Amino acid sequence: MINFLDLKKINAQYRTEIVDAMTRVLDSGWYIMGTELAKFEKAFSQYCGVKHCIGVANGLDALVLVLRAWKEMGLVKNGDEVIVPSNTYIASILAITENGLKPVLVEPDENTFNISTENIIKNISDKTKVILPVHLYGLACPMAEINEIAKKHNLLVLEDCAQAHGAEINGKKVGSWGNAAGFSFYPGKNLGALGDGGAITTDDDELATTLMALRNYGSHIKYENKYIGVNSRLDELQAAILNIKLNYLEQENCKRRAIADQYLAGISNISVILPTIPEDPLTHTWHLFVIKATDRTKLQEFLSIKNDIQTLIHYPIPPHKQSAYVQYKDLNLPISEKLHNQVLSLPMDPTLSSEKILKIIEKINSFN
């Protein structure tokens, strides 16, 4: 079986360093908000090219807390609108509704899968306060254009970087383009912990200060609570592991790009539509390699049942068709619905051997 992603094998490469880091945390006797977190926050902020990194419990909390902080700062209020792509993972939408804000779902660019700037402009209203671009599958959104739109209409920009650690545009990394950004360190991400984890990056001093309190019960000083906060802290153990794995992120992203290059050069089956090749390879970190297939079910069964190749679907049901958001079920979003019916993610694992990659390509090309 060719697994979609072999986390055990990926993490085994760094086992000695990870075990040493875990032992160091165990022996320290300090497990929350300590030196490992401070070290990671400094390292990741420098990596992203921003002033602040605030470690939180997961990627969803990262988005939720930024919007919450902007409410505390008086920049947004209940009922305000947030423009968000309609084909994203549901977490992007959950963060909006969790804050009493209204998601405005807009169609993506059918070729890049990312939010369409033309559709952003069409959907701006008097109630719009935030644009939430998602760097889907690892490809950076056109942030210069999005920032220009935001500036013209006095809007905030919150990047969802959960799938795009290390992607950059003209040498500037995602996570440093918007007013703030949310990252996930879920184990399967390009920079993955050994459990849940997340972070927020920003250059805004006031926002960073507010967030540091909100994640910690609304408190800057123990037992003094300025806000009605939450408990959302990146723990010392995960921070220590991320400190190790951050050192190898660029290396692993390079391997992902090499695998993507092999797929793009080798897959020739005309029934399969390959993802768009970015002009600048560094804009894509290939968290996922997503093809489109008219008969996706047949192709997926052919690969898995007949050839032991595991594929996944990201994502089978668009947010507006989920039971959780039944109020949006009648929205007219044909591009998103088409994508969700056709997309199929091929194995994308930095430890994949050339032999396995060639087998995947060969089997796809033989599919009819």
Side-chain angles (χ1 to χ4, degrees), residues 353-364:
S353 67
S354 292
E355 181 183 8
K356 289 182 177 179
I357 297 166
L358 289 173
K359 179 183 176 181
I360 295 164
I361 293 170
E362 176 195 349
K363 296 306 177 183
I364 292 174

Side-chain angles (χ1 to χ4, degrees), residues 222-249:
K222 196 169 185 178
Y223 304 130
E224 294 183 19
N225 304 84
K226 184 174 181 179
Y227 308 105
I228 301 173
V230 298
N231 175 12
S232 181
R233 302 173 296 199
L234 181 64
D235 67 68
E236 286 290 277
L237 191 60
Q238 298 303 337
I241 292 164
L242 289 167
N243 275 321
I244 301 299
K245 296 189 70 178
L246 181 58
N247 295 325
Y248 300 99
L249 176 57

Side-chain angles (χ1 to χ4, degrees), residues 123-134:
N123 283 276
I124 292 173
S125 76
D126 291 341
K127 290 188 174 182
T128 306
K129 291 294 184 291
V130 181
I131 304 172
L132 202 164
V134 180

Side-chain angles (χ1 to χ4, degrees), residues 21 24-25 33-58 62 165 182-186 189-193 196-201 215 233-249:
R24 184 173 66 250
V25 172
M33 305 280 282
T35 57
E36 297 291 346
L37 176 60
K39 179 182 176 183
F40 175 72
E41 289 177 332
K42 180 178 180 181
F44 197 63
S45 65
Q46 291 176 342
Y47 175 80
C48 293
V50 295
K51 291 168 65 176
H52 304 285
C53 168
I54 301 95
V56 294
N58 53 67
H165 314 70
F183 287 85
S184 167
F185 304 124
Y186 181 78
K189 303 299 185 183
N190 291 35
L191 179 59
D196 271 322
I200 298 157
T201 55
R215 72 170 175 184
R233 302 173 296 199
L234 181 64
D235 67 68
E236 286 290 277
L237 191 60
Q238 298 303 337
I241 292 164
L242 289 167
N243 275 321
I244 301 299
K245 296 189 70 178
L246 181 58
N247 295 325
Y248 300 99
L249 176 57

Side-chain angles (χ1 to χ4, degrees), residues 151-194:
K151 184 177 180 181
K152 180 179 179 180
H153 296 275
N154 194 28
L155 306 177
L156 296 161
V157 176
L158 170 55
E159 297 175 74
D160 185 338
C161 302
Q163 299 185 8
H165 314 70
E168 58 184 62
I169 308 165
N170 297 326
K172 183 177 171 67
K173 284 192 166 57
V174 299
S176 67
W177 284 86
N179 300 91
F183 287 85
S184 167
F185 304 124
Y186 181 78
K189 303 299 185 183
N190 291 35
L191 179 59
L194 299 190

